[in-house]
Amino acid sequence: MRLSLLVCFPYVVLVVVLILLLPVPIYLSLFISIVLVIVLVYALYSTKEKTTQQIQVLSNLVDALIDEDYSLQGKSQSDPALSLLLDKINTLSTALHKKTMKAEGEQRLLEKILNQMNALILVVNDKGQVLMANQAAQNVLLPNEQSGTSKSNLQAHHLYLTKPAQLNDTPLGFIQHRTGASIVAMQEAKLKGEYFLYRDNIISVGENQSLFLLTNTNNLLKEKETQAWQSLLRVLSHEVNNSLTPIATISRAMKRKLEAGNVSDNQGFYKEGLNVIDERASSLAGFISSYRTLMYLPAPTKKQICLDSMVSKVVNLFRECEFVFATRFQKQATQIFLLVDEKQLEQVLINLIKNAIEASSEQDNHIGSGQAIKVEFDLECDNGWVELFIIDSGIGLANLKDLFVPMYTTKKNGSGIGLNLSQQIIHNHDGQLLLQNRQSQQGAVAVIRLPIS
């Protein structure tokens, strides 16, 4: 508007000067001046109205976007600049509408998933107000009738609360000052037993908030316990049946011979039968002894030893095998020292090397190569840890999930003790024992991960 006045002002001054200098009657001069002023005022008013209308249209569109109403669209205008701006706003509205629909769908899916979980999930701000809770948490947070607190704070099947509830006024108020992860004992009517509590800090809309997760440990322990018992009973049943079935069969046959009265004629049969019974009884006794060894593993007596000397000591026990050491193993093994129980760790190495030799032997027998059995050694060091790799060239591992199940074995004469015992020993040394198949070649890899002294 100021620009229009600035542009028109010189022309108005020029017309007035010409009127004054030329011999024009005074009335005509006044008439022309009034007309010019009226035209100028109309032009300015028209420009202002048009500009106000355009700004109002843009304001309405922006207000609609703020209110998340994406149905309002701007119409094409004669002004190219305004039309281009309206097109941009329409494009923005369409994009925001699509993203809003996607976000709403994802939020509904998230609500359904969280509301189906048995774990309690809460989001609490710094003031101790519960801002969000899944259905399991809402069932616990519902206030008692005696408390006088309105239940309208909670929305069934919605994560966010219509009005934040004070955590201290709920049965879960004691968790507000807990940090990290811990096990808590709950005595509330709706929450009895031990719960795993996890807390983490999050930032939402520039506000520091805390995420709490509580899950009942009893259900997890019962599920694991049931799986462990099923695996153990399956193995026990298999081993006991292997021993009792031949004993029962031979015993019935010997009983029939005795009832027939021809003992002297079947002394060889009785001797063979007693040998079978003795063999199976010894096998069963050995099985029970192995189980006792697994259950009563002594605590490690640790001392500092060199990795290279320990591996060399164990390797010398296996003369029939050719061992291949990686270049980095030869360079680093003499410089790595471990704080371990030497006898227990030697037992782990013996078990794993023996498994590698047997796996490679089965493969050689299968293909009939007749070449020397090779077992490879390699290692990696990273951030105070060493990983020792024992690599074989066998047929690989077929059932990875049951490898560490007590008494489980795929060997004809195996007891199913070695791997589980090795895993317990490594665990008692704050390490890990992993078994996996090789990626690019045939065979398996046993990985012992231990902290460097």
Side-chain angles (χ1 to χ4, degrees), residues 304-407:
Q304 187 169 277
I305 63 170
C306 177
L307 177 61
D308 182 67
S309 61
M310 182 183 62
V311 172
S312 299
K313 183 179 178 181
V314 174
V315 163
N316 289 332
L317 301 176
F318 298 91
R319 300 291 184 180
E320 75 281 4
C321 180
E322 179 183 348
F323 292 96
V324 180
F325 296 93
T327 303
R328 57 184 173 183
F329 182 93
Q330 295 174 331
K331 288 183 178 180
Q332 301 181 38
T334 56
Q335 304 172 9
I336 296 175
F337 289 85
L338 307 173
L339 189 63
V340 295
D341 187 314
E342 185 174 7
K343 292 186 179 298
Q344 289 189 4
L345 202 56
E346 285 178 358
Q347 183 62 48
V348 172
L349 290 174
I350 290 172
N351 288 337
L352 296 179
I353 293 174
K354 183 180 178 182
N355 288 344
I357 292 174
E358 290 177 352
S360 300
S361 299
E362 291 180 3
Q363 177 67 7
D364 288 344
N365 293 335
H366 178 69
I367 63 177
S369 64
Q371 297 179 357
I373 299 171
K374 290 184 179 181
V375 175
E376 301 177 35
F377 278 85
D378 200 353
L379 63 79
E380 287 185 3
C381 295
D382 183 32
N383 295 328
W385 291 83
V386 61
E387 290 185 346
L388 177 64
F389 301 89
I390 303 174
I391 308 167
D392 65 58
S393 55
I395 59 175
L397 303 169
N399 191 3
L400 292 170
K401 68 176 183 177
D402 289 330
L403 291 177
F404 296 107
V405 174
M407 316 306 172

Side-chain angles (χ1 to χ4, degrees), residues 110 114 117 119-126 128-134 137 159-160 167 172 175-182 196-204 207-215:
L110 177 63
L114 293 181
M117 294 176 62
L120 281 65
I121 301 175
L122 309 168
V123 174
V124 182
N125 62 13
D126 289 341
Q129 297 175 324
V130 182
L131 306 178
M132 188 195 82
N134 68 338
L159 297 178
Y160 291 92
L167 186 62
L172 299 177
I175 71 173
Q176 184 171 351
H177 303 291
R178 299 271 182 167
T179 58
S182 59
F196 172 77
L197 170 64
Y198 174 77
R199 176 177 181 171
D200 196 6
N201 295 323
I202 59 176
I203 298 177
S204 178
E207 181 183 14
N208 292 325
Q209 299 176 356
S210 298
L211 172 67
F212 291 93
L213 185 146
L214 288 96
T215 181

Side-chain angles (χ1 to χ4, degrees), residues 70-88:
Y70 306 111
S71 60
L72 190 61
Q73 297 282 315
K75 296 181 180 179
S76 178
Q77 301 290 322
S78 58
D79 187 346
L82 180 62
S83 180
L84 179 61
L85 180 57
L86 289 176
D87 290 341
K88 296 293 184 181

Side-chain angles (χ1 to χ4, degrees), residues 120 136-144 151 154 171-172 186-193 195 216:
L120 281 65
Q138 290 185 26
N139 293 336
V140 177
L141 293 172
L142 284 173
N144 298 325
K151 294 185 179 182
L154 303 171
L172 299 177
M186 310 285 283
Q187 300 298 332
E188 296 292 333
K190 297 180 181 179
L191 293 172
K192 281 193 175 181
Y195 281 76
N216 194 325

Side-chain angles (χ1 to χ4, degrees), residues 27-38:
Y27 297 106
L28 181 60
S29 300
L30 291 175
F31 175 76
I32 294 174
S33 299
I34 293 172
V35 170
L36 287 174
V37 171
I38 292 174

